[in-house]
Amino acid sequence: MHIDPWFLLCSKVVLESVLIDRGLKVLATGCPNLRKLGLVGGSELGLLNVAKESELLQKLELHKCSDCIFQGIAAFENVQILKLAGSVDRFFTSLVTDIGLTIVARGCRRLVKLELSGCEEGSFDGIKAIG
């Protein structure tokens, strides 16, 4: 299932984190063999639900992410590709720091590819922890 994030931005449809988390729980329960997930919004609880049910997930792409959800990201022990977008040209701004990247490094041990976009607060120390 794919909902284009640009549709949500252009149509001014804003889903609350609670609704996104409920949808993630339903998705994770119904699709235990989920391999790829792209998400705009959501919370740590929603990600933890998916990580618990979808142990085979290999690719995770998150937009509007910040340090407050990194425990949820770290729960994906088998993720190999991680794309994080913290802020995008005036659409949204979120904070991704070295602390969050270090949390990811401790949980996502199989990570082979990391893409960071709009994560201005992350520096050498966060990248070094992942490396």
Side-chain angles (χ1 to χ4, degrees), residues 18-128:
V18 174
L19 293 175
I20 294 171
D21 291 346
R22 284 185 199 162
L24 286 173
K25 185 169 184 144
V26 170
L27 178 70
T29 303
C31 304
N33 294 325
L34 194 64
R35 303 263 193 230
K36 177 180 170 183
L37 177 65
L39 181 63
V40 178
S43 73
E44 180 179 346
L45 179 61
L47 289 173
L48 288 170
N49 284 329
V50 175
K52 178 182 171 185
E53 299 293 331
S54 303
E55 296 177 359
L56 302 175
L57 193 103
Q58 296 174 346
K59 183 177 181 182
L60 182 60
E61 182 174 346
L62 299 171
H63 295 263
K64 290 179 64 174
C65 62
S66 63
D67 280 358
C68 62
I69 65 167
F70 279 112
Q71 290 291 348
I73 296 170
F76 291 94
E77 295 176 354
N78 292 317
V79 74
Q80 295 176 0
I81 300 170
L82 179 60
K83 296 181 180 184
L84 302 175
S87 64
V88 176
D89 299 330
R90 297 184 199 121
F91 281 119
F92 50 83
T93 303
S94 299
L95 189 62
V96 175
T97 68
D98 290 337
I99 294 168
L101 293 174
T102 302
I103 291 169
V104 169
R106 290 185 182 153
C108 302
R109 299 255 181 214
R110 295 183 179 201
L111 196 63
V112 293
K113 182 177 181 182
L114 173 66
E115 288 185 30
L116 300 173
S117 175
C119 302
E120 292 88 15
E121 297 295 319
S123 69
F124 177 77
D125 291 334
I127 301 299
K128 181 181 174 186

